[in-house]
């Protein structure tokens, strides 16, 4: 984030920024053991909130244009997808 802020300031541009969120939602599919809050990739909720606070301080919150998550692959139950969407939408609305 520091690099994006510094570079955009130096260039006089407003960047489009996106973040990958680490959801709590888990699944029992083939790669289920790597899903949920213990997954390798993405920001935890607390980290996302710090990022949002920093962007507000820099008056760059409007640059945050993408909230992304990857639930996993080979998910065979729609209820898992619904749960993930509820979680992500709830957090998005709180932002």
């Amino acid at each position: 984030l520091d690099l994006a802020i510094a570079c955009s300031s130096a260039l006089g541009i407003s960047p489009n920024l996106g973040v990958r969120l680490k959801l709590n939602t888990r699944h029992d599919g083939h790669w289920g053991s790597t899903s949920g809050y213990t997954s390798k990739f993405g920001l935890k909720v607390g980290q996302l909130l710090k990022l949002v606070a920093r962007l507000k301080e820099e008056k760059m919150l409007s640059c945050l244009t993408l909230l992304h998550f990857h639930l996993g692959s080979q998910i065979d139950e729609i209820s898992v997808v619904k749960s993930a969407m509820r979680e992500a939408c709830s957090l998005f609305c709180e932002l």
Side-chain angles (χ1 to χ4, degrees), residues 13-85:
I13 62 169
S14 295
N16 286 317
L17 302 173
V19 295
R20 181 169 173 164
L21 179 62
K22 189 182 296 195
L23 297 178
N24 285 322
T25 303
R26 296 184 58 89
H27 65 89
D28 294 325
H30 182 70
W31 299 103
S33 63
T34 63
S35 67
Y37 206 62
T38 58
S39 66
K40 274 182 171 177
F41 304 108
L43 298 179
K44 296 177 182 176
V45 173
Q47 294 169 317
L48 177 63
L49 295 177
K50 286 180 183 176
L51 180 136
V52 167
R54 176 74 192 284
L55 288 174
K56 282 182 183 176
E57 286 174 13
E58 300 290 335
K59 299 189 180 359
M60 293 179 64
L61 185 57
S62 63
C63 296
L64 182 59
T65 58
L66 174 73
L67 179 63
H68 164 74
F69 65 89
H70 180 69
L71 187 55
S73 57
Q74 300 178 1
I75 299 167
D76 58 0
E77 293 186 31
I78 192 69
S79 62
V80 174
V81 176
K82 286 180 179 180
S83 177
M85 290 301 297

Side-chain angles (χ1 to χ4, degrees), residues 2-14:
D2 292 334
L3 182 60
I5 291 170
C7 288
S8 63
S9 177
L11 295 170
I13 62 169
S14 295

